[in-house]
Amino acid sequence: MIHLKNIYKKFDEQWVLNDINLTLDKGKCNLIIGESGSGKTVLMKSIVGLVKVDEGEIWYDERDFNRMGKHEKQALRKEMGMLFQGAALFDSLTIEENVMFPLNMFTRETYNQKLKRVNFCLDRVGLKNVNKQLPAELSGGMRKRAAIARAIALSPKYLFCDEPNSGLDPRTAIRIDNLIHDITLEFDMTTIVNSHDMNSVLEIGDKVIYIYEGCKCWEGNREEVLHSDNKALNNFVFATKMAQKIKKADPT
Amino acid sequence: MLTKALANIGKYMLLMKSVFSRPEKRTVYYRQTIREIESHGLGSIGIITIISLFVGAAITIQTNFNIENPWLPRYIVGVTVRDSLLLEFSSTMVGLVIAGKSGSSIASEIGMMRVTEQIDALEVMGVNPAAFLILPKLIAMVLFLPLLCAISVTIGLLGGYLICLTSDVVPVSDYIYGIQYVFYPYYLTYAMVKTAFYAFIIASVAGYFGYRVEGGAVQVGKSSTRAVVLSSILILLADLILTKLILH
Ligand SMILES: Nc1ncnc2c1ncn2[C@@H]1O[C@H](COP(=O)(O)OP(=O)(O)OP(=O)(O)O)[C@@H](O)[C@H]1O
Ligand SMILES: [Mg+2]
């Protein structure tokens, strides 16, 4: 569980995060949705400490992130996995070396044990026969999946995914969504997913948080998202013609 | 302008502080250092050889031209060529050539990792990105560049020898006698120590410029150009200071 209290962040006199209070639950996919530029990436980077917040507290279970020393933060980060918006695989390393990287850095296992773990993770995300390939030789969706494999290599307690399926075709997008959902349940992780894709919301949104212009505007689950009377949320959810038609056809 | 420079020096110091913090895992850093020696050390032997060969030949001709005096013995040319290579040419040449070659590649490699969020990815994993990315390069260059300098001196002398052999600049026997005449091993140490300083300048300045890139490909390019320019200037400055300090 991750708990945020009164988070504020501004860039050049403009508030990007404004008084965010949140609880992100364990064993669930916590979806953060919002328009482009609403502050989702900044929020996620603030939670993992890549962006320093101006004010507010971040609690990882019983641990106060702001009060942690350098070494405690490093220890906590071994429990985190993160998928970046652009995958951020190390492009000088092969896929196998990429997934093995955290294992090399933080475990004392033998090469064969590590290789076994790497193959398990790659298999889990549905990647086969790409061990010796470089990230540049893979398609966008395969790169995202390899990055997920790297993120779960150390069996993290907290998994962060920044737009795991942006720029992918609907079928691959849903596969990646389901993959994230499955591993969340399987390993009982606290998973946070940034998205602006309504399909993801309906598919895996165990908990949905809507961010509007840097404020938390609405919170609920995938059932409630379609029936809320929050105006900003409705504009977001029913932005497309297709969604509007579905709403008309099914007024419940 | 001045405050900006001071701010940059401060940030550079802070970055160096995190570069020299304890590695998470020695074996990984060790392996990385070997890789860097391969790319920034062994990979530069070729270019240093070619340049040194030509410069050595040119210095021999020039020196002979400058001290053509019937009162001076001919072997003096050999002595002068050797000492100029040792004291100035080889170390500066290696410094400037490697600043251009490795400096730009280090700055753009790290800069590209910054803009594609690979550095953030390292940080989220709990790795200290500054140390992991810069320290192995720094160690590799500080260890290997002095060796390149020694190679450069040797090849430079060979260049002079070849020019004596193929034209009538100085008789070969005089040249050979000259380059062995009153040799101070201390000069070689001096050249290699100087080069080690240059290596530190190149790796740390290029690392700094790459590390603090913000933006995209354009900024990466600009940063790597700046890294090369600044490290070249710093190398020449260091040359002046070290020469004054050590040789006087
Ligand atoms: N480093 C920065 N410096 C200045 N402003 C920034 C910085 N990072 C983000 N911002 C601003 O913060 C706001 C929120 O950006 P953010 O990247 O969080 O959006 P997002 O919700 O992730 O959008 P998208 O869905 O397009 O990824 C934007 O207006 C952006 O201009
Ligand atoms: Mg974003």
Side-chain angles (χ1 to χ4, degrees):
Chain A
M1 198 178 79
I2 299 172
H3 198 63
L4 307 185
K5 280 187 196 160
N6 310 97
I7 301 288
Y8 289 90
K9 173 72 195 174
K10 73 173 168 192
F11 283 116
D12 335 297
E13 302 307 309
Q14 192 212 341
W15 291 103
V16 175
L17 298 179
N18 204 335
D19 196 17
I20 304 266
N21 289 284
L22 275 184
T23 304
L24 302 160
D25 299 331
K26 191 170 182 232
K28 279 188 189 172
C29 274
N30 300 273
L31 251 69
I32 298 176
I33 58 173
E35 286 159 40
S36 183
S38 55
K40 303 183 295 293
T41 300
V42 174
L43 177 62
M44 185 171 276
K45 288 192 173 172
S46 306
I47 302 176
V48 299
L50 288 174
V51 167
K52 212 170 165 334
V53 295
D54 295 328
E55 250 177 78
E57 293 173 22
I58 300 161
W59 289 81
Y60 278 83
D61 294 313
E62 304 305 310
R63 294 171 288 185
D64 183 352
F65 192 72
N66 292 334
R67 294 230 185 92
M68 281 185 188
K70 204 172 122 199
H71 295 287
E72 287 164 301
K73 265 188 196 164
Q74 278 198 349
L76 172 65
R77 287 203 163 129
K78 284 172 214 165
E79 301 171 14
M80 290 181 189
M82 181 157 176
L83 168 66
F84 284 83
Q85 205 161 345
L89 291 168
F90 304 126
D91 41 29
S92 57
L93 305 181
T94 63
I95 297 301
E96 182 179 295
E97 289 168 328
N98 259 288
V99 182
M100 204 181 276
F101 186 89
L103 301 172
N104 283 338
M105 217 52 170
F106 299 114
T107 68
R108 293 182 178 283
E109 292 170 359
T110 64
Y111 178 78
N112 282 333
Q113 284 170 316
K114 286 186 283 197
L115 190 63
K116 218 174 133 198
R117 177 74 193 160
V118 167
N119 285 329
F120 171 80
C121 292
L122 284 175
D123 193 47
R124 194 67 198 77
V125 299
L127 283 179
K128 286 200 184 74
N129 305 324
V130 294
N131 285 39
K132 300 291 173 209
Q133 264 162 321
L134 289 171
E137 296 166 344
L138 264 55
S139 75
M142 288 161 94
R143 249 177 272 167
K144 284 245 162 90
R145 282 187 276 164
I148 296 177
R150 183 179 69 182
I152 61 173
L154 282 174
S155 317
K157 278 176 150 170
Y158 312 99
L159 182 65
F160 299 87
C161 303
D162 196 357
E163 310 211 1
N165 52 21
S166 63
L168 301 179
D169 67 276
R171 269 170 61 106
T172 315
I174 286 181
R175 262 176 65 192
I176 290 192
D177 282 339
N178 286 332
L179 169 67
I180 291 171
H181 196 238
D182 292 348
I183 51 187
T184 300
L185 298 185
E186 202 173 315
F187 305 113
D188 199 24
M189 297 188 285
T190 307
T191 300
I192 298 95
V193 178
N194 276 358
S195 181
H196 44 211
D197 182 1
M198 276 315 291
N199 289 324
S200 314
V201 175
L202 298 178
E203 196 79 26
I204 61 168
D206 301 328
K207 178 165 189 167
V208 181
I209 294 132
Y210 176 60
I211 303 280
Y212 181 69
E213 290 179 353
C215 302
K216 186 177 90 175
C217 183
W218 184 86
E219 179 177 338
N221 64 28
R222 63 187 138 192
E223 309 298 328
E224 293 157 4
V225 111
L226 293 177
H227 308 294
S228 110
D229 44 17
N230 185 312
K231 196 153 180 294
L233 178 67
N234 274 326
N235 284 341
F236 178 80
V237 172
F238 300 108
T240 62
K241 287 237 164 60
M242 197 154 91
Q244 285 160 9
K245 280 191 181 137
I246 294 171
K247 189 179 189 186
K248 270 197 201 121
D250 176 26
T252 54
Chain B
M1 175 70 184
L2 185 70
T3 49
K4 218 174 143 192
L6 283 177
N8 269 324
I9 293 173
K11 283 187 213 154
Y12 171 83
M13 296 289 187
L14 285 178
L15 182 68
M16 284 304 117
K17 197 180 143 223
S18 50
V19 167
F20 287 103
S21 50
R22 214 169 61 87
E24 295 82 12
K25 193 139 178 229
R26 272 169 202 283
T27 49
V28 178
Y29 276 66
Y30 175 75
R31 241 178 286 153
Q32 194 66 20
T33 307
I34 303 290
R35 280 191 190 196
E36 302 295 354
I37 288 182
E38 273 168 24
S39 68
H40 295 295
L42 299 177
S44 301
I45 290 181
I47 186 166
I48 291 295
T49 304
I50 294 173
I51 294 178
S52 305
L53 203 62
F54 282 100
V55 170
I59 303 177
T60 310
I61 299 175
Q62 292 241 348
T63 313
N64 181 53
F65 180 73
N66 281 330
I67 56 172
E68 221 165 18
N69 186 326
W71 298 105
L72 288 173
R74 305 297 287 152
Y75 69 79
I76 287 294
V77 175
V79 179
T80 314
V81 168
R82 181 197 69 204
D83 286 355
S84 4
L85 280 172
L86 271 176
L87 293 179
E88 182 62 32
F89 274 99
S90 281
S91 52
T92 311
M93 221 155 51
V94 168
L96 293 180
V97 168
I98 301 298
K101 187 172 174 281
S102 296
S104 62
S105 106
I106 290 176
S108 49
E109 180 190 329
I110 297 181
M112 213 55 217
M113 291 187 75
R114 165 65 77 196
V115 301
T116 55
E117 295 182 314
Q118 292 174 50
I119 292 186
D120 288 341
L122 281 171
E123 190 156 353
V124 173
M125 280 178 198
V127 177
N128 173 355
F132 179 71
L133 294 176
I134 301 177
L135 191 60
K137 294 183 173 48
L138 203 70
I139 293 175
M141 307 248 310
V142 169
L143 287 181
F144 207 86
L145 254 57
L147 218 62
L148 275 181
C149 173
I151 293 176
S152 163
V153 173
T154 318
I155 302 287
L157 290 176
L158 180 68
Y161 171 77
L162 290 178
I163 206 74
C164 294
L165 203 65
T166 51
S167 62
D168 54 354
V169 185
V170 183
V172 176
S173 56
D174 279 340
Y175 179 79
I176 300 275
Y177 180 73
I179 62 175
Q180 291 169 324
Y181 184 77
V182 210
F183 170 67
Y184 298 106
Y186 169 68
Y187 282 5
L188 184 62
T189 319
Y190 162 77
M192 290 172 76
V193 168
K194 249 192 349 182
T195 320
F197 273 94
Y198 301 164
F200 186 90
I201 291 175
I202 297 168
S204 65
V205 169
Y208 172 71
F209 274 91
Y211 201 77
R212 51 149 232 183
V213 170
E214 268 175 37
V218 177
Q219 283 81 357
V220 173
K222 273 189 189 152
S223 236
S224 92
T225 309
R226 278 200 203 121
V228 174
V229 171
L230 186 65
S231 49
S232 304
I233 295 174
L234 288 178
I235 283 173
L236 295 174
L237 197 67
D239 185 23
L240 199 64
I241 295 171
L242 290 172
T243 308
K244 188 94 180 74
L245 279 182
I246 305 182
L247 282 195
H248 276 260

